[in-house]
Amino acid sequence: MKRGLLVAFVAAVTLLAGSRARAQGVGEACAASYEQAQQLVRDRALRRARAELRLCVSSCPATLARDCQSWSEQVERDMPSVALSATSADGHAPGRVRVLLDGAPLVEALPKDPIELDPGRHTLTFEDAAGTRVVTVVTVSPGDKALPIAVRFPAAAPPAAARVGAAPVRQRWPLVLAGVGAVAVGVGAFLGIKGHVDRSELRSRCAPGCTADEVEAIDTLWKAGAISAGAGLVVAGVGAVLYFQLDPMIPAAPATGSALLPDGAAISLRGSF
């Protein structure tokens, strides 16, 4: 009999200690969520505040739970949301589009329903399957519901587009050839003139008894000049033909897209650089 009473007493003490421990744990959770929720609301981190308020309602005594319930209802009223949409340059659906919020992944495809955001200034990056991005900066205020954020992706860059002040890429080589040819013609002319000057000097100095080496040196100058001038004319002619006959290939200029926003700015880039 005594032994049975002792067992019952130990069980009662253990149960009481466990209840106190659980009550203490619940009390700590209540206090933490109650305080944290208020701070998050002040910081306008409404999405995190909502989660703390739900914990407060479920873990706190009735008096504190009523406070958390009231704050939770205010958070729901203030929680802003945005309705995201995108179109291609021709006005059609651009296919699968992922969106990043402040550099972090937000959604992998545009949702039909609005998405909730914390109040404040945010950067939204829209990216299509081809990797083209449209970046928008928008400010959402407490109470904004389904704020429309619509972006338009830029058209694909054309294969060739004019660039002001830049020489066509495929026309640079013809210009180089023409320049090299002109230099060679100039060298040939110089050697020819020098040969004539040396011949006149040789006649006045030793004719008709000049040595064969002296005469041959002048002949070599004329031959080198003729070869240089002839080659230069050919190269310059080829460069001129290529310059006027080949179509220019100019690097495509970056294409820009647009974003239709109620507030903020947008920019998009696409093209070859």
Side-chain angles (χ1 to χ4, degrees), residues 86-127:
T87 56
S88 59
D90 57 6
H92 295 91
R96 189 178 185 86
V97 175
R98 66 191 296 256
V99 182
L100 287 78
L101 172 66
D102 300 325
L106 179 62
V107 292
E108 291 300 319
L110 291 178
K112 295 181 180 179
D113 298 326
I115 297 178
E116 294 177 338
L117 303 179
D118 288 329
R121 187 178 178 87
H122 297 286
T123 299
L124 292 169
T125 303
F126 294 72
E127 182 178 335

Side-chain angles (χ1 to χ4, degrees), residues 215-238:
V215 175
E216 185 177 353
I218 295 174
D219 186 58
T220 301
L221 281 177
W222 282 343
K223 290 180 178 178
I227 293 173
S228 178
L233 288 173
V234 172
V235 173
V238 171

Side-chain angles (χ1 to χ4, degrees), residues 235-264:
V235 173
V238 171
V241 171
L242 292 176
Y243 182 84
F244 289 107
Q245 289 188 354
L246 289 180
D247 294 329
M249 285 184 61
I250 304 173
T256 59
S258 62
L260 308 177
L261 303 176
D263 180 26

Side-chain angles (χ1 to χ4, degrees), residues 30-242:
C30 168
S33 61
Y34 190 87
E35 295 176 1
Q36 184 69 11
Q38 294 180 76
Q39 183 60 48
L40 291 171
V41 170
R42 286 193 292 267
D43 294 340
R44 304 177 79 182
L46 300 187
R47 292 189 294 175
R48 292 175 55 197
R50 179 167 55 188
E52 291 294 336
L53 289 170
R54 288 173 178 170
L55 179 60
C56 174
V57 170
S58 63
S59 62
C60 288
T63 303
L64 299 180
R66 281 195 295 269
D67 291 340
C68 292
Q69 181 62 39
S70 176
W71 296 333
S72 179
E73 293 171 358
Q74 183 61 48
V75 165
E76 294 299 332
R77 288 192 293 269
D78 290 344
M79 182 77 71
S81 62
V82 293
L84 306 178
S85 63
T87 56
S88 59
D90 57 6
H92 295 91
R96 189 178 185 86
V97 175
R98 66 191 296 256
V99 182
L100 287 78
L101 172 66
D102 300 325
L106 179 62
V107 292
E108 291 300 319
L110 291 178
K112 295 181 180 179
D113 298 326
I115 297 178
E116 294 177 338
L117 303 179
D118 288 329
R121 187 178 178 87
H122 297 286
T123 299
L124 292 169
T125 303
F126 294 72
E127 182 178 335
D128 65 8
T132 303
R133 289 189 169 189
V134 178
V135 180
T136 74
V137 179
V138 61
T139 300
V140 292
S141 302
D144 287 341
K145 300 297 182 181
L147 187 69
I149 308 294
V151 302
R152 181 183 294 272
F153 284 94
R163 178 183 291 177
V164 178
V169 173
R170 285 178 56 180
Q171 288 188 1
R172 290 176 184 170
W173 285 110
L175 290 176
V176 172
L177 291 176
V180 172
V183 172
V185 172
V187 172
F190 171 78
L191 294 178
I193 293 172
K194 187 176 187 308
H196 282 286
V197 172
D198 290 350
R199 181 186 179 189
S200 298
E201 190 273 334
L202 194 63
R203 280 183 174 180
S204 63
R205 181 170 56 81
C206 61
C210 299
T211 64
D213 290 342
E214 291 175 323
V215 175
E216 185 177 353
I218 295 174
D219 186 58
T220 301
L221 281 177
W222 282 343
K223 290 180 178 178
I227 293 173
S228 178
L233 288 173
V234 172
V235 173
V238 171
V241 171
L242 292 176

